Structures are given as C-alpha cells and as structure tokens.
Amino acid sequence: LLVADAIVHARPECSGEIKVDFNIRSDGMGDLTINDGRIGPHPTEPQAYSEALPLVQQLVEEIGASLSVRHDAATIFEITFPVAPTVTV
C-alpha cells in the first residue's frame, strides 16, 4: 500500500525512485523500510497522507508490529515485526 501510495502521489516533473529494503535481525525481528524519495508533509498535519496510512497502521497492529515515519531527505516508513521461525525438515 505504501509503495502504491508513493506512485500515486509522484510528481511527473520530478524524477526519483522508491526504495524498499527488508532485513531479518538476529533477534528474530524483521525490518521493512520504504523510502518514497520525496519530502512529504509532517504526519501530524491534517490530510498528511492518503487513506493508505490508516489501513497500514491497522494491519501493522494486527500482526504485532510497529510503524514509524521519519522525514529526512525523504519520507521513510519503517515497519518492524516478528518473523516466524524457520522449520527444518
């Protein structure tokens, strides 16, 4: 949803890229980072994001994950969640 949202809100006059990164940490947690390559409004501003963000927040809560939003040179969404253990047969 966040990638689709970044595409929908992309400005055709600007070039850029969307970066998606996933890592599994040694503590069994997964980190998913989505960098939309643009500076967006502060998350506390009304209408800061489309309808996608509340849905993402709900899905994050349902799986016991956490969501953070940073504003550096771009808007960066970070989702941290427990990863299911691997079963060896």
Side-chain angles (χ1 to χ4, degrees):
L1 289 172
L2 293 172
V3 172
D5 195 53
I7 293 168
V8 167
H9 293 286
R11 294 177 299 195
E13 70 275 7
C14 298
S15 64
E17 60 186 17
I18 299 168
K19 297 178 184 178
V20 178
D21 187 37
F22 177 71
N23 293 302
I24 298 176
R25 303 184 327 207
S26 61
D27 64 356
M29 298 297 283
D31 289 323
L32 176 65
T33 304
I34 301 164
N35 179 333
D36 72 2
R38 63 184 167 89
I39 298 174
H42 194 274
T44 59
E45 292 180 24
Q47 304 294 327
Y49 299 100
S50 74
E51 298 81 31
L53 188 57
L55 181 55
V56 169
Q57 289 171 320
Q58 180 182 354
L59 294 170
V60 162
E61 288 176 15
E62 286 180 13
I63 64 169
S66 64
L67 171 68
S68 66
V69 181
R70 291 185 304 155
H71 297 279
D72 295 331
T75 302
I76 301 168
F77 298 90
E78 296 174 318
I79 301 171
T80 302
F81 56 94
V83 178
T86 307
V87 177
T88 306
V89 179

